[in-house]
Amino acid sequence: MNKFCAASAATIVFCLVSAKADAQVPGGVVAQPGPTDETVGSTAVTTDPAAQTPAEETGLEDIVVTAQRRDERLQDVPVAVSVVSGDFLIENQVRSLQDLGATVPGLVVTNSVNYGSAPLSIRGIGGANGGGNVFADEPVAVYVDDAYVSRLRLSTADLIDIGGIEVLRGPQGTLYGRNSTAGAVLLRSAEPTEEISGRGSIAYDTIDTFRAQAALSGALNEAGTVTARIAGGFSDRGGWGTNRSGPQLNTGRDWQVRAFLRFRPTDALTIDLIGDLSYSRSEPGTIAISDTRALRDEVTNPTGSNTVFPYVLRPDLDSVRENNRFDLNFRTYSITRGRNVTGRINYEFDTVTLTSVTNYREWDQIGSQDSDGTGVNPPNPPFVGGPPITNVGSNFTQAEDSQFSQELRLASTGDGPFTWLVGGFYFAEKNIVDPVSITNNLAGPGGGGTLVVFRADQLTHNWAAFANIAYAITDTVKLSLGGRYSEETKRFSDTQSVTLIRQFDPPGPAFFAAGQTLLAPPVLNLRRKDTNFAPRVVLDWKATPDVLLYASFSKGFKSGGFNVFRGNNPVFEPEKIDAYEVGLKSDLSSTLRLNASAFRYDYQDLQVRTPVPSGGVGIESAAEARSQGVEIETTYAPMRGLRFDANATFLDAKFRRGTLSAVQAQSYVFGTNPAVTPENIAGNRLARAPKFQFAVNGRYGWNVGSALKASVQGSVRHQSRVFFLETQQQAPTFRGSAWEEVDARISIGERDENWTVSLFVKNAFDDRHFSQVAAFFGLPNGALNEPRRFGAQLDLNF
């Protein structure tokens, strides 16, 4: 029995359906072998040229990745990188990056609490939990078709016609800066083909989710020098759970269309033009986690019965979570519209290759959110006039983001002992929120309610120069040296106003009018400039033709910035990292692959999200943090049609020194602003940094007669408990429990894959857990993972 089959009861169930034979799996080993060399995005898979059907395939494939900005075999690259193919995304109902949690070693994902805020985390380092800092940069850099994407919104977007995904773990500042202190995720669109081909997929499941996508590709002229691919997708999520106080939640509707045009006038020159339009509407649900019974019981008494306990679990939480019971009475939604165009030119000279990547991308977003999660409509407090209160707290955001980037690279193409790459990068971005408004209907004089409005914009310019050289000291030993110099400037403007919502007219001369300005601090106009040089050194040794050992040292950098919600300090400093890693990549036989890595990160001024009790969030710097661990990935294909893939991660990620702002009060009257004081966080764990993760995926395929094929597959993913707040970790309210999800699928179709019909189950044992807990008004609100669902899928190819 596979050693992972003893991990748990759910894993044993999985092992009964076992194995994977011909599709990309967790752990980064590519799939979909074919009779000839096939390129999927920029990930090439080479297989035996003898004609085979999927049920007859055996052995391990070669995978070509671009982790070092050139095409190289995965097993020859001294970088911790995993690959997920486009076929795996389709076969496993992966709608967005949110669905890849624990599939890749060290990758932690979250469900959105709204505004597309679902930050990614790699090896314990991730973006601001809740994503609510608006202008904060992400430590996990995302690239689409070689173009850098700065905003977080992509993490919740539908993945349509994707050729492959590479996940690079560890700081990538030399070749995939900017700000990639945790790693990088590289998405590649499926590329045009000369022959006419197409594919389509339709799926429906029991939580009323419908998804359809299609792609058509082929040459536009007889010579085949102009090829094109057009793809589109649509999804409609009917929602799940019950909402006592309002409409169905966890609903959404998305569509996207992409056109990919390729022009190859000569064998040396390739010109790509890629454009897409997207629309996303989501209505997520969150659950109030702490004890706020005084609010939920709709008892309003300014003398104290509105007391809340942020660090005490509500007594009925288990029942609420297991039964998906929500209680939101204010419209919670976000609508995001995106437009993108990328131009890519690749020219191969005799000994060098010149690459240019030009990109323009913009997003418009609007939305609102129920911030208290209680469904309460409290009566107006004494002496407060005006319209009745219909919600305790809410917020509204309207934002615009636009970015432009240009990258030029020149790389050697020879096979000699010396290879090199040099490049330059320019990036400009403009971010606007106009407005972000926060309503607290029980705050202010007499509980008349306050409306806090922020209007802010930020303009960023970044330029960088980078280089990487490698020299083969011997036939088996290679030394690589690289570095990136970056210079970034930010100009920031922010206004704030606080007004009273309802009049407060107590006995006596005091009178507070509705709309009265309570606070209007001076306008902030700030500017900062950050510079950095991030080096990289790698030594690798090809111990045998099938075994690679490597050791690396690199530095990373993430620029400083500004807090839209101001908090204790409107400015936060740059984040820096020293990273050490050793690794092994080995093909132990034609059927067994084992890759492993061990790492240690030392962070200085790690940027951490801290809640602002009056609403919003801030970014503060933790003086020192350490993340270290071990990752293992393995693939075993013992016989034709049968394949297992597994990965496991151990992570130790803690703060070594520093203080962060925290609400220390164990209780307070809602509507008042509890005191925020520094807390020593030395010894606390980093947020979203589980000690253990593992994933096992398997598939078995066989022929049914002469015309059909069938397959059965299953997977198990496990993640140990996490913290969602860096402070107050002795309390249970900002913790995420350990979870384990089991998926299974059975398929039948033609051997030439013209059609395939599948039945599937996701989260078969209905494991319910919070994938994200964010602080609203200092109180924890959680986003649940999706419940168990059964479904059917039809895939067509021609």
Side-chain angles (χ1 to χ4, degrees), residues 275-294:
D276 64 66
L277 299 173
S278 63
Y279 169 90
S280 175
R281 177 188 177 92
S282 65
E283 298 181 8
T286 58
I287 292 175
I289 291 175
S290 60
D291 187 352
T292 57
R293 282 176 291 177

Side-chain angles (χ1 to χ4, degrees), residues 23-24 29-32 38-45 63-64 83-90 143-145 159-166 186-193 199 213 215 229 231 256 258 260 274 344:
Q24 167 61 33
V29 183
V30 168
Q32 202 58 27
E38 178 186 356
T39 299
V40 182
S42 294
T43 304
V45 181
I63 310 160
V64 176
V83 181
V84 179
S85 76
D87 286 333
F88 178 83
L89 302 178
I90 292 174
Y143 285 76
V144 178
D145 296 321
L159 299 173
I160 301 298
D161 198 36
I162 297 297
I165 300 175
E166 296 177 30
L186 317 180
L187 289 86
R188 304 199 179 274
S189 303
E191 298 184 346
T193 56
R199 69 187 306 172
Q213 53 180 291
R229 187 180 187 96
Q256 184 180 135
R258 180 191 305 119
F260 192 145
I274 308 166
R344 187 170 55 193

Side-chain angles (χ1 to χ4, degrees), residues 361-384:
R361 183 182 296 270
E362 61 183 20
W363 276 293
D364 302 322
Q365 187 176 72
I366 188 171
S368 63
Q369 184 172 47
D370 188 325
S371 299
D372 59 274
T374 62
V376 172
N377 301 317
N380 286 7
F383 313 115
V384 171

Side-chain angles (χ1 to χ4, degrees), residues 124 243 262 339 406 546 724 771 776:
N243 184 22
R262 169 165 290 174
R339 297 161 290 277
Q406 173 64 58
D546 296 316
F724 293 108
S771 72
F776 300 155

Side-chain angles (χ1 to χ4, degrees), residues 174 199 494 581 643:
T174 298
R199 69 187 306 172
D494 185 34
E581 183 166 332
R643 178 165 173 154

Side-chain angles (χ1 to χ4, degrees), residues 117-458:
S117 299
L120 307 174
S121 178
I122 295 178
R123 292 177 170 176
I125 305 299
N129 182 39
N133 193 60
V134 185
F135 296 162
D137 295 308
E138 294 297 304
V140 179
V142 175
Y143 285 76
V144 178
D145 296 321
D146 291 327
Y148 173 69
V149 182
S150 62
R151 291 299 100 197
L152 184 66
R153 317 204 195 289
L154 199 65
S155 63
T156 57
D158 267 20
L159 299 173
I160 301 298
D161 198 36
I162 297 297
I165 300 175
E166 296 177 30
V167 180
L168 283 58
R169 305 188 294 280
Q172 305 295 320
T174 298
L175 298 176
Y176 286 99
R178 127 186 203 266
N179 292 330
S180 54
T181 52
V185 177
L186 317 180
L187 289 86
R188 304 199 179 274
S189 303
E191 298 184 346
T193 56
E194 289 190 29
E195 69 280 2
I196 299 295
S197 63
R199 69 187 306 172
S201 177
I202 299 175
Y204 182 81
D205 65 35
T206 52
I207 60 171
D208 201 21
T209 298
F210 172 80
R211 292 194 71 208
Q213 53 180 291
L216 179 64
S217 180
L220 300 183
N221 63 349
E222 291 186 7
T225 58
V226 182
T227 56
R229 187 180 187 96
I230 186 167
F234 171 81
S235 67
D236 187 275
R237 302 181 297 284
W240 51 269
T242 59
N243 184 22
R244 184 177 72 92
S245 301
Q248 183 73 53
L249 296 172
N250 304 301
T251 67
R253 176 169 294 186
D254 300 76
W255 62 260
Q256 184 180 135
V257 61
R258 180 191 305 119
F260 192 145
L261 182 66
R262 169 165 290 174
F263 179 43
R264 297 196 66 185
T266 69
D267 290 341
L269 178 62
T270 302
I271 302 173
D272 293 333
L273 183 63
I274 308 166
D276 64 66
L277 299 173
S278 63
Y279 169 90
S280 175
R281 177 188 177 92
S282 65
E283 298 181 8
T286 58
I287 292 175
I289 291 175
S290 60
D291 187 352
T292 57
R293 282 176 291 177
L295 294 178
R296 295 201 308 275
D297 292 341
E298 303 188 17
V299 178
T300 300
N301 182 346
T303 62
S305 66
N306 285 337
T307 299
V308 294
F309 301 84
Y311 304 122
V312 177
L313 292 174
R314 58 187 291 180
D316 60 346
L317 181 61
D318 288 342
S319 174
V320 167
R321 180 182 57 220
E322 295 299 322
N323 294 286
N324 308 312
R325 299 201 329 251
F326 299 86
D327 194 8
L328 303 183
N329 63 351
F330 190 85
R331 187 185 184 194
T332 297
Y333 79 101
S334 65
I335 296 175
T336 305
R337 294 179 173 87
R339 297 161 290 277
N340 169 68
V341 61
T342 300
R344 187 170 55 193
I345 300 174
N346 200 71
Y347 192 88
E348 298 180 4
F349 295 91
D350 290 339
T351 59
V352 298
T353 298
L354 175 66
T355 302
S356 170
V357 180
T358 308
N359 174 258
Y360 177 78
R361 183 182 296 270
E362 61 183 20
W363 276 293
D364 302 322
Q365 187 176 72
I366 188 171
S368 63
Q369 184 172 47
D370 188 325
S371 299
D372 59 274
T374 62
V376 172
N377 301 317
N380 286 7
F383 313 115
V384 171
I389 299 174
T390 58
N391 170 262
V392 176
S394 62
N395 60 74
F396 171 85
T397 297
Q398 185 165 318
E400 297 178 10
D401 304 298
S402 60
Q403 66 171 73
F404 171 82
S405 64
Q406 173 64 58
E407 183 168 281
L408 288 173
R409 301 192 303 270
L410 194 64
S412 64
T413 57
D415 295 328
F418 180 73
T419 59
W420 54 268
L421 179 149
V422 297
F425 175 77
Y426 173 75
F427 172 80
E429 181 181 33
K430 186 171 186 179
N431 310 112
I432 300 173
V433 288
D434 188 9
V436 173
S437 61
I438 300 170
T439 300
N440 187 332
N441 281 303
L442 295 178
T450 57
L451 175 66
V452 185
V453 177
F454 298 91
R455 289 182 168 85
D457 62 81
Q458 179 172 277

